[in-house]
Amino acid sequence: MVRHSATLAIDETLRARRAAGQPLLHLAFGEAGLPVPDSVAAVLAAAAGRNGYGPVAGSPQARQAAAGWFTRRGLATEPERVVFAPGSKALLFALLAALPGDVVLPRPAWVSYAAQSALAGKRVIGVPVPPEAGGVPDPERLARVFAETRPGVLILTVPDNPTGTVARPDHLRAVCDLAERHGLAVIADEIYGELIHGGGPAPESPAALLPERTVVTTGLSKSLALGGWRIGFARLPAGPWGGRLLAELTGVASEVWSSLAAPMQAVATHVLADPPEVTAHIAAAARLHATVARAVHAEFTAAGALARRPEAGFYLYPDFEPLRPALAATGIDGAATLADALLERHGVGVLPGDAFGDDPRALRFRVATSLLYGDTEAERWAALRAADPLALPWLAGSLTRLRAALIALKSAPGGTR
Ligand code: PMP
Ligand code: GLU
């Protein structure tokens, strides 16, 4: 039985409850929550007449634009090494279907890697992340895995979902070294790479550290908030191994999705040329994500939770272990009961850590902050343009509501709703 993916399931549930009149704080879904720039919408409208399927890997123009995009970010790329798809999720699944061997995942890791591995008939080996930042397995613990088993694939998420952090360069180097020594294929999921807080560059890509065996997947769902447009792309390595994988990946693509929708390829061609209005929009988005994620982080730490400081994207991953005795008195003993209490007693929707492969007894969950920007397009534009977004009444109101819920969570099972 294949279950509805935890992220999409909770989003549908919470939106249905809100539509039915329940006032909920929706912190459970990683949708970037921002409007489409007019210039990008105009490109899509102008491309409406493009109704041919086109080549499976993407049009020459889109592949050329993506190759330039990677090259400007320090990864020299030939257009022939780029494959487009309806979302990077489709590419991840096709890669897992094509690559041999079991899959090593950081723990916690984004929900779909384990589910897709199971669909592809693969065993998953979860290796805890270091305390400093998520998205990569702790190198020392990863080294121990090879004493017992011979996995084939390692997935790294840099920057990370669910922890909202960026792996340390020395950890990245150490895990890529291990992958090289043990002949693993690395999938580097870099979908949050444009959203580093403070606008800093992403750390060196695993594709620079292990060039011949790393595939990079990314897309426009997070940087430009185009999740519903489903634009993903991958960069395959040069060399014979990469060439064989490319042939297999496009083989799977040809049997499953044929090609990315042609108008979306026109959008990708435009956006991936880095026109100034697009880069300015993404920079403003990264600033807003940083401001709101830091404010929400402050609420959780003030409530007594431990949480790594957010460094990229729009997530944090609090740990309520210090409050275990107080929470136990209200019947909370693990991730599921904690997330359930937050939703049912206090009206706050989050995704429990076990959805990310974490220990179900741990009091951890993922908080996504990007649906706080507003309920209407006008509110979301205002948030993006505001000098002080936290002063906007709907954002300030949500933070106040969250603070009240976290205070009430620790005290009694009565609820704040
Ligand atoms: N990887 C990560 C870490 C994600 O959070 C997401 C979000 N959906 C994806 C991949 C897939 O995104 P998409 O299919 O929209 O490109
Ligand atoms: N990646 C987003 C999340 O983690 C949602 C979309 C998805 O899972 O496909 O919530």
Side-chain angles (χ1 to χ4, degrees):
M1 163 82 185
V2 182
R3 294 213 318 248
H4 212 101
S5 189
T7 51
L8 296 152
I10 191 139
D11 183 54
E12 289 174 35
T13 301
L14 297 189
R15 283 182 202 266
R17 286 198 189 192
R18 287 175 106 179
Q22 267 192 42
L24 295 173
L25 266 190
H26 186 352
L27 304 178
F29 190 51
E31 180 163 281
L34 288 169
V36 181
D38 290 345
S39 60
V40 175
V43 171
L44 179 60
R50 298 198 187 181
N51 58 344
Y53 287 92
V56 169
S59 68
Q61 295 79 4
R63 296 174 89 193
Q64 179 83 47
W69 186 89
F70 278 119
T71 303
R72 286 191 297 283
R73 282 154 183 79
L75 284 181
T77 303
E78 301 286 324
E80 297 70 32
R81 296 284 155 178
V82 174
V83 179
F84 278 88
S88 64
K89 208 166 174 174
L91 288 163
L92 287 164
F93 180 64
L95 288 166
L96 288 169
L99 289 165
D102 293 335
V103 179
V104 179
L105 295 182
R107 195 165 76 215
W110 175 51
V111 300
S112 289
Y113 305 136
Q116 291 191 348
S117 301
L119 280 173
K122 289 172 150 24
R123 198 166 66 96
V124 164
I125 303 151
V127 180
V129 300
E132 293 88 345
V136 298
D138 185 306
E140 282 179 21
R141 289 176 181 245
L142 178 62
R144 278 184 244 144
V145 164
F146 301 109
E148 288 154 28
T149 178
R150 299 182 61 80
V153 186
L154 169 64
I155 303 187
L156 306 175
T157 318
V158 186
D160 185 37
N161 171 12
T163 62
T165 56
V166 184
R168 300 291 170 263
D170 54 324
H171 291 153
L172 265 180
R173 240 172 279 126
V175 297
C176 287
D177 263 9
L178 284 164
E180 179 165 32
R181 252 186 283 146
H182 296 277
L184 268 69
V186 171
I187 300 177
D189 182 341
E190 299 184 1
I191 197 158
Y192 296 94
E194 301 288 286
L195 297 179
I196 308 260
H197 298 171
E204 209 163 16
S205 169
L209 299 167
L210 183 56
E212 287 181 6
R213 298 197 48 105
T214 300
V215 183
V216 178
T217 63
T218 185
L220 303 184
S221 298
K222 311 300 172 182
S223 57
L224 213 48
L226 295 179
W229 288 16
R230 312 302 304 123
I231 302 171
F233 53 105
R235 176 193 183 273
L236 280 284
W241 183 86
R244 281 193 301 275
L245 184 59
L246 178 73
E248 226 174 312
L249 177 62
T250 48
V252 175
S254 73
E255 299 294 10
V256 181
W257 65 79
S258 301
S259 57
L260 169 61
M264 295 309 172
Q265 297 194 44
V267 170
T269 305
H270 172 75
V271 164
L272 296 178
D274 287 326
E277 86 281 359
V278 167
T279 52
H281 187 92
I282 295 173
R287 277 196 300 277
L288 177 63
H289 295 317
T291 302
V292 176
R294 284 176 190 158
V296 173
H297 178 258
E299 297 298 340
F300 278 96
T301 50
L306 304 168
R308 296 177 185 86
R309 190 177 146 80
E311 297 172 322
F314 33 77
Y315 304 110
L316 44 127
Y317 196 70
D319 186 344
F320 274 71
E321 191 58 36
L323 300 176
R324 188 176 283 279
L327 295 175
T330 74
I332 294 168
D333 60 358
T337 47
L338 177 54
D340 188 64
L342 269 169
L343 179 60
E344 303 302 343
R345 299 179 199 164
H346 307 291
V348 178
V350 298
L351 207 53
D354 54 342
F356 301 90
D358 207 347
D359 181 351
R361 289 162 306 178
L363 296 171
R364 294 191 277 268
F365 53 83
R366 187 193 72 177
V367 174
T369 52
S370 44
L371 291 179
L372 294 174
Y373 304 150
D375 288 336
T376 63
E377 209 172 305
E379 285 182 349
R380 293 190 280 265
W381 274 118
L384 192 66
R385 289 172 174 152
D388 180 9
L390 302 176
L392 294 168
W394 56 93
L395 263 160
S398 294
L399 290 174
T400 307
R401 181 122 195 254
L402 175 63
R403 189 174 315 149
L406 295 178
I407 291 169
L409 173 74
K410 294 183 285 184
S411 42
T416 39
R417 284 205 288 123

